[in-house]
């Protein structure tokens, strides 16, 4: 099962719980977007800060867009 960025699975194996480091990354994404940064610039900033995706792959504008859309919903 795919876990959304920003959450991990509770030890009970059912519930999602906030993942503190990933929640902080989301806050950084939101702050940079609010300042007018492009999705590409946000991806580069996260990489520079050493913040990884769940799968430790490269950040892409599409992955940033998807995360920001989910948290805005």
């Amino acid at each position: 099962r795919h876990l959304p960025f920003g959450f991990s699975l509770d030890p009970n194996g059912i519930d999602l719980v906030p993942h503190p480091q990933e929640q902080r990354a989301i806050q950084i994404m939101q702050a940079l977007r609010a300042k007018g940064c492009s999705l590409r610039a946000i991806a580069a900033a996260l990489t520079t800060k050493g913040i990884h995706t769940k799968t430790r792959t490269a950040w892409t504008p599409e992955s940033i867009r998807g995360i920001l859309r989910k948290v805005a919903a």
Side-chain angles (χ1 to χ4, degrees):
R1 178 180 171 186
H2 172 74
L3 296 174
F5 189 80
F7 295 91
S8 56
L9 194 59
D10 188 84
N12 69 18
I14 299 169
D15 299 315
L16 293 178
V17 293
H19 185 284
Q21 292 87 357
E22 291 179 4
Q23 290 292 322
R24 179 67 185 128
I26 291 170
Q27 291 173 346
I28 291 168
M29 291 177 205
Q30 292 172 315
L32 291 172
R33 194 64 169 158
K35 289 181 180 179
C37 291
S38 69
L39 297 171
R40 188 173 308 282
I42 295 170
L46 293 174
T47 300
T48 299
K49 291 177 182 292
I51 299 171
H52 303 286
T53 66
K54 262 197 191 301
T55 58
R56 301 188 72 76
T57 56
W59 286 104
T60 64
E62 293 78 17
S63 61
I64 302 294
R65 179 184 297 117
I67 291 168
L68 290 175
R69 282 184 178 163
K70 285 178 186 175
V71 297

